[in-house]
Each structure stands twice: as C-alpha cells, then as structure tokens.
Amino acid sequence: MKILMAHNYYQQRGGEDAVFEAERDLLRARGHEVLELTFHNEAIDSRAAALSAGAKGFYNPQAARQTRRIIRDERPDVMHVHNWFPLASPSIFSAAHGEGVPVVATLHNFRLICPKAQLFREGRPCEACVKQPLALSGILHGCYRDSRLQSAAVAGINAWHGVIGTWQHHVDAFIALTDFARQKLLSGAMGLTPSQVVVKPNFCGDPGDNDAPREDFFLFVGRLSPEKGIETLLQAFAQTGLPLRLVGTGPLSARAAQAAAQFPNIVYEGFLPPADVRQRMMRARALTFPSLWYEGFPLTLVEALACGAPALVSQMGGLPEIVAHEAQGLLIPPGDADALADATLRIAADAGLRQRLSHNARQKYLNQYTAEVTYEHLRGIYARVCDARRDRRLQFADETPQTSPAGR
C-alpha cells in the first residue's frame, strides 16, 4: 500500500510530531511506501507571517496545489493527516477528496470543538464551546493565545468548514485516541457520525523486560505547566517527604527549581534525553501523572507501562482507559494533593502492590500499545476507508444512466 502522510510541525516539538514520525517509520518498516507532505510553523516568524497563517488557516491554495501534485504524480492509496493547523489547513482534505483519495485524520487534541484545543480554562476543564457551531465562549475569553482575534480565527476556521461540509464529507475517518475523546467529538457541533470516528491509541517502542530492581523514588516526566497539576504534585511530596524526581521544562520550571531548593526530597532534573528518561522509568517506584485537563493520549504513560512502572493518575478524561485503578496503578481525584500523598505512601509501603501493578502495567503495554498492535489498527483503518471509497465508486458507476445505442 502507498500512503501519503501529511503533518504540520509545531514551532516547539511535541508529542504529535513524535507520533507522526513513529507511525511513518512503523509503516515503512512493514514494507509500505510512505510519502511525506510536511509543513513547518517555523515559517511563522513575524506578525505579518502570523496574519498570513491565520488567513491560510481557512484555505491555503499552495497547500492544496502541493497535495494535488503529489497525488497526481504518485497515486497514493490513502492520505493520513496528523496535524493540519494552521499552514496545511483543511484545504488538503478537499484536495485529496477531489482526487478520489480516501482521507484519514488523527485528532491528537480537541481543536475541532475548542479553540484552545485543550477543553481547559482557568485551571479546570471547560466544555463551553463543545456544542457551539461557532465557539463564541472561546472567542469571548480569548482562549487561543490569550487573543480574541486569534481565537475568532480558529473558531471561524472550524465553523466555516463545518458549514461547507469539509469535516463530514472530505474526511473518511477520524482517529480519536481514547473512547472518551471519541464521545466528546461526537457530542460536538461539527456533525461527525459514529461510523466516521474510530479509536486507535498511540504506541511506543518496546524497551524489553525489566529485571533491574526498582529504587525508592517517584518520577514526573512532562511539561511543567499548570494544566499538568504541578502544584498538586509539589504539595503532595512536600507533605510526605518521599523522594520525587521532576523531568521536563515549561513555564513552571522556576517553581520546580524553587521547590527542589526548599525540600531535600525533591530533585529537579530539567530536560533529559529520551534514553535517560527511559532509564529512570525502569528504576522508579511509580510515575506520577496528576493532570488537571483531559489530556489526549500521553506518550509518557505508555512509556511507563512499557517499562513496567505503576502510575498514579488523575481520574479524569481518557486517562482511566490507559491506567485502571488497582490494575496498572492508582487513580487520584484531580487537584487533590492529600489523595495523591496518600497514594504515594501506600505505594511506598506495599511491595506486593508495587509488584502486582508493575506486572499488570507491562502486560497491558504488550496487549494494547506495541508497534505490532498499532500496525494492525492502522492497516484495518486504511483498508476500511479504501474499501468504502471503492464501493462508492462502484455504486456510482452502477447508478449512472447508460446512453443507449439508439440515442447516440
């Protein structure tokens, strides 16, 4: 199968970029020819470029031409888009649809139903715009980059393409990362149908079985930002005195460094290369993941499961689909530092519990989040949209009136 994979890279590398590259490499390793169509937000380097990107977000004729050109030259069987915002724009969906190529789009976030893409505002989940054809609440609060103008542009893009049918008719299948995300998307105002939205989680490479003994520290890996529950985390470990290592950077880096200076049990390590992060996951008692927002499908959690690390996770959004309570870890009420502190003390005191959770974490990874499982998911989704497109063409051919010889 020949697959055209399209992606709009962010200015700061994130999980979506990593998933795009991982799935590209996975398909190539399985013998498929994978073509790439990429756009880079590094091009948005001035106010004029930002204004241009906002206009192109509605329709980018250059991106549409690129899409048509590569399709006509290469004739891919399917196009799979990971991110189209803002430079690729929904124009690439319409271009592929017009060329008769089925389209699959992975929804890594909630941008179709939330200008900020997070369903999160003022420190808590927010669903004010989910059912609004035009996200007026997001515009009023300036949810995208604290700008009403930019929020209006994002909301307008989504609404316009809903009105002209791009989401409903030019994308054959949307991939949601969890069932929770699927239900939220289907409840939105974009008009998606249940048969159009499928669930396929992310994956990570297998680090292999871990026979090394675990040490007595807990681990946080991720962006140091308010929605990640950093304050909850720091308050919990200030209470318990248990060892915590923080890995990552972000707007709360200074707060993490301050806590490390104040409490000897907290160590702030900043950014670490992936190999070093994995080595710490192999050794940690448990991963802490106290997010305050719904998350998408965090690779950090999958990597922890692969390493056999139990996880202490907020009971919200799609996270309980990844880590079940008392199975691969413990679920904590979001924002509850006392509950998180109690969970860490329980993990620290019960070796049998740690061993059981660790075994279950590794088994869940092997059953659901390996490269092979993901490949089978992708192959099935591609086959389904290709078959459906072929069946529609055949149906159209059957229904087309044939001119009789006498009428020629």
Side-chain angles (χ1 to χ4, degrees), residues 83-309:
N83 177 44
W84 62 89
F85 180 79
L87 297 178
S89 83
S91 63
I92 65 175
F93 298 137
S94 302
H97 177 80
E99 295 295 324
V101 174
V103 176
V104 175
T106 297
L107 299 174
H108 291 277
N109 53 49
F110 298 101
R111 196 176 305 280
L112 276 188
I113 53 176
C114 170
K116 193 176 180 180
Q118 293 182 318
L119 295 178
F120 184 81
R121 182 169 61 85
E122 296 179 353
R124 62 181 60 87
C126 172
E127 300 184 17
C129 295
V130 170
K131 297 184 182 298
Q132 296 179 349
L134 178 65
L136 294 175
S137 295
I139 297 171
L140 177 64
H141 291 96
C143 289
Y144 181 68
R145 299 198 171 190
D146 296 320
S147 165
R148 289 181 175 176
L149 179 61
Q150 293 186 67
S151 298
V154 177
I157 290 168
N158 288 340
W160 171 247
H161 285 279
V163 169
I164 66 175
T166 302
W167 314 126
Q168 301 93 330
H169 305 302
H170 293 177
V171 181
D172 298 82
F174 285 103
I175 294 175
L177 302 180
T178 63
D179 188 62
F180 173 85
R182 179 178 184 270
Q183 297 305 322
K184 280 284 173 278
L185 291 162
L186 289 175
S187 71
M190 294 298 107
L192 307 184
T193 62
S195 62
Q196 195 180 9
V197 187
V198 299
V199 176
K200 182 204 70 64
N202 293 330
F203 81 102
C204 73
D206 188 353
D209 292 328
N210 180 23
D211 297 326
R214 293 198 171 270
E215 300 178 18
D216 65 352
F217 67 91
F218 290 80
L219 181 66
F220 172 87
V221 177
R223 179 169 167 78
L224 299 179
S225 53
E227 70 272 11
K228 291 291 187 178
I230 302 302
E231 287 297 338
T232 302
L233 181 68
L234 295 176
Q235 290 173 26
F237 280 86
Q239 290 182 40
T240 65
L242 293 170
L244 169 68
R245 294 188 182 185
L246 291 158
V247 176
T249 60
L252 295 183
S253 292
R255 176 71 180 96
Q258 178 190 47
Q262 184 178 1
F263 300 100
N265 60 307
I266 297 176
V267 176
Y268 175 46
E269 299 195 277
F271 171 81
L272 290 178
D276 292 344
V277 173
R278 179 163 290 183
Q279 186 252 6
R280 281 158 177 74
M281 284 186 177
M282 289 285 196
R283 293 162 45 206
R285 256 182 191 167
L287 180 81
T288 56
F289 203 90
S291 281
L292 302 179
W293 71 296
Y294 289 145
E295 294 279 354
F297 195 97
L299 288 175
T300 299
L301 273 187
V302 182
E303 291 164 354
L305 296 179
C307 293

Side-chain angles (χ1 to χ4, degrees), residues 318-336:
L319 296 180
E321 297 176 42
I322 308 169
V323 174
H325 189 57
E326 300 279 356
Q328 297 84 31
L330 302 177
L331 296 178
I332 313 299
D336 191 332

